[in-house]
Amino acid sequence: MDTAASEGQNRLRSRESLESRVPNASPLGPRSLFPWFLRLDSKTSAPTFPPPLAAPLERAQPRTVLVLGGGGMRGMAHVGVLKAMQSLGITYDAIVGTSIGALVGAMAAGGLPIEEMEEIISKLQKDDYFKLNVVKLLLKGPRASSVYSGKNFVTRLEELLPDKTFDELQVPFFCNAVCLETGGMAFWGTPGMRDISLLDAVYSSCCLPGIFEPYERGPYHYMDGGIIDPLPLRFAKALRPDMILAIDLTVKATFKTPNYKNRAVSTLYRSFEIAEEVIVEQLLHMHADRDTVLVQPKVGHLARFEFQNVADVVKLGEDETIRVLTSHAGTRRLVQDHILDRGISCPVTPRDYVSIRIDQEACIGCGNCEMVCETDAFWCQDQPAEVRKRRNYECTRDHACARNCPTAAIHLGNL
């Protein structure tokens, strides 16, 4: 009996020791790193030992960071993304935005209803936001700081954004801007970077170089964060969420040559777009992992500041988000059953891979596909190139192979 009691006490001490080693900190990181990120930490509790065998399976919502990428008026697709998430019952715990993503993200974090957002953007007019900097252009010529008036843009933003501080927002919100003096990135909303109005933070994240005046803060000037980080996955990962829902607006519905016009402003826009596409390509290669759910509405072919057919852009964002979230392995279990009963169902083919095909007649054997593909899906030793992974489960969906193919011989499917 003494031996049995002793063994029981040893097992109890062993179990207590095991429980003491279970971390109570949130997977979003220790409080010493982000002490201001309290809402997300509050959801975490230590697991019980042993778990009850008869406990029903619960559809727990993972702590999710929503990343809204840049893209000008293509960013109206973000409103469709928010609308789809609301209809599917999938929530987010923080928002990280850049450029137009910062504007839509700030509106959402401030608690603006989706219906009100749709009504506001349906009334947007280009002339209301883009007013030529006539006086400065006449007085300074090429020395003028911008083509359009930043003050006019700020006035319009003030009508769209909630009059709240970062502390008053319903969910944590962050947006980025790049410092012209240092070349470094600033994320407004982080410790030491919260003493700024929401209006100024969003303006600095949206003001394209040469288009609007930079935002001045002390001796420094800040411009559109999308210049160097148009899809802030690195920052989102630093928050240590369970899942990142990233919205990339660089993907085109067609790879036809854009309607480029040989003008100063058009050249600025197109140069910015090309750089943005390449940077996003590299960001996806480096930071898109199993915990990243990537939504890519096919809006990249649209004009950057096209104010017509805004409702269609919202619809593109909504449809693509529903398609991804109901099929992706990381989110399809989160869709509520009663919502699926209304007619939304998972597709037959899960989007766990990308299918690849090469038009052998069009391929010239240049080797670009093998060069840009980080997942070794192509082999181009002899003409024409060959596909090594017809079903590429490692593909980051950056479209680099198709975008860099000079003869449009590469066709991607199951996107």
Side-chain angles (χ1 to χ4, degrees):
M1 292 295 293
D2 293 341
T3 301
S6 177
E7 290 179 353
Q9 292 176 353
N10 288 336
R11 284 196 298 269
L12 180 60
R13 282 194 294 268
S14 177
R15 175 178 168 182
E16 291 174 346
S17 175
L18 177 62
E19 290 182 349
S20 67
R21 293 196 299 269
V22 176
N24 290 317
S26 167
L28 283 163
R31 291 180 184 270
S32 59
L33 179 62
F34 291 118
W36 35 269
F37 217 169
L38 301 180
R39 289 191 179 91
L40 281 75
D41 284 349
S42 63
K43 294 184 178 181
T44 304
S45 59
T48 58
F49 289 87
L53 296 179
L57 294 176
E58 294 184 0
R59 192 174 307 188
Q61 288 276 2
R63 279 152 298 205
T64 302
V65 172
L66 177 63
V67 178
L68 303 178
M73 285 301 292
R74 303 164 187 162
M76 296 302 101
H78 290 322
V79 178
V81 171
L82 295 170
K83 187 176 181 180
M85 293 181 67
Q86 184 181 71
S87 66
L88 296 176
I90 296 177
T91 60
Y92 50 83
D93 299 276
I95 300 175
V96 181
T98 185
S99 196
I100 189 65
L103 173 57
V104 177
M107 294 167 70
L112 194 66
I114 304 297
E115 298 76 14
E116 192 171 338
M117 281 191 203
E118 288 189 281
E119 182 180 355
I120 290 174
I121 65 175
S122 66
K123 300 176 181 178
L124 297 180
Q125 298 294 326
K126 186 174 182 179
D127 293 340
D128 293 338
Y129 294 84
F130 292 85
K131 183 179 180 181
L132 283 174
N133 230 343
V134 178
V135 176
K136 287 188 177 180
L137 289 172
L138 289 175
L139 294 177
K140 297 185 177 181
R143 294 183 292 110
S145 58
S146 65
V147 176
Y148 296 102
S149 171
K151 291 183 178 179
N152 183 71
F153 186 39
V154 168
T155 300
R156 297 304 178 185
L157 288 179
E158 195 170 12
E159 298 172 358
L160 299 176
L161 294 171
D163 184 18
K164 296 182 179 181
T165 66
F166 278 92
D167 293 328
E168 294 171 337
L169 299 176
Q170 293 188 1
V171 296
F173 168 72
F174 315 92
C175 63
N176 62 355
V178 58
C179 178
L180 294 180
E181 282 76 15
T182 67
M185 180 68 71
F187 273 94
W188 310 118
T190 57
M193 304 295 283
R194 301 170 68 82
D195 57 336
I196 181 176
S197 69
L198 191 62
L199 175 63
D200 288 339
V202 171
Y203 173 77
S204 70
S205 188
C206 289
C207 56
L208 283 166
I211 305 302
F212 296 113
E213 296 99 333
Y215 167 67
E216 295 185 31
R217 180 181 168 92
Y220 299 110
H221 298 76
Y222 294 88
M223 295 292 292
D224 194 319
I227 297 173
I228 59 177
D229 198 357
L231 193 66
L233 292 174
R234 291 179 296 178
F235 180 82
K237 291 178 72 173
L239 301 179
R240 293 184 176 87
D242 299 321
M243 181 175 70
I244 296 174
L245 180 55
I247 317 301
D248 169 27
L249 304 178
T250 64
V251 175
K252 301 175 177 63
T254 174
F255 288 99
K256 294 181 180 179
T257 304
N259 185 22
Y260 167 69
K261 296 178 181 179
N262 191 14
R263 301 172 185 172
V265 174
S266 297
T267 301
L268 283 172
Y269 288 163
R270 184 60 188 144
S271 300
F272 188 77
E273 288 171 359
I274 293 172
E276 184 179 58
E277 291 171 2
V278 174
I279 294 173
V280 169
E281 172 188 323
Q282 298 302 320
L283 288 172
L284 292 178
H285 281 318
M286 292 187 291
H287 302 292
D289 53 25
R290 59 177 293 176
D291 297 323
T292 303
V293 179
L294 186 63
V295 179
Q296 297 174 306
K298 307 300 189 296
V299 295
H301 61 288
L302 302 175
R304 193 172 194 85
F305 293 107
E306 177 58 65
F307 281 71
Q308 298 178 353
N309 303 319
V310 171
D312 294 338
V313 179
V314 173
K315 182 64 173 174
L316 288 171
E318 181 182 8
D319 291 346
E320 183 65 13
T321 303
I322 289 177
R323 191 164 75 93
V324 172
L325 298 188
T326 56
S327 61
H328 193 282
T331 55
R332 57 192 176 209
R333 65 181 178 84
L334 302 176
V335 181
Q336 304 298 319
D337 292 332
H338 71 278
I339 296 175
L340 292 176
D341 291 340
R342 296 197 312 230
I344 301 176
S345 60
C346 294
V348 176
T349 306
R351 298 177 67 255
D352 297 332
Y353 65 86
V354 172
S355 62
I356 305 174
R357 180 176 65 85
I358 292 180
D359 185 340
Q360 299 294 312
E361 294 183 359
C363 179
I364 60 176
C366 66
N368 275 4
C369 54
E370 182 179 355
M371 174 187 68
V372 300
C373 181
E374 296 287 342
T375 58
D376 300 322
F378 300 92
W379 177 260
C380 191
Q381 187 173 14
D382 299 310
Q383 182 180 344
E386 297 180 2
V387 178
R388 298 181 66 242
K389 299 178 180 179
R390 297 190 180 278
R391 290 190 173 187
N392 189 356
Y393 285 87
E394 294 81 28
C395 181
T396 57
R397 287 178 163 80
D398 62 358
H399 294 246
C401 55
R403 184 170 57 83
N404 286 281
C405 179
T407 59
I410 298 176
H411 301 275
L412 306 177
N414 198 34
L415 294 168

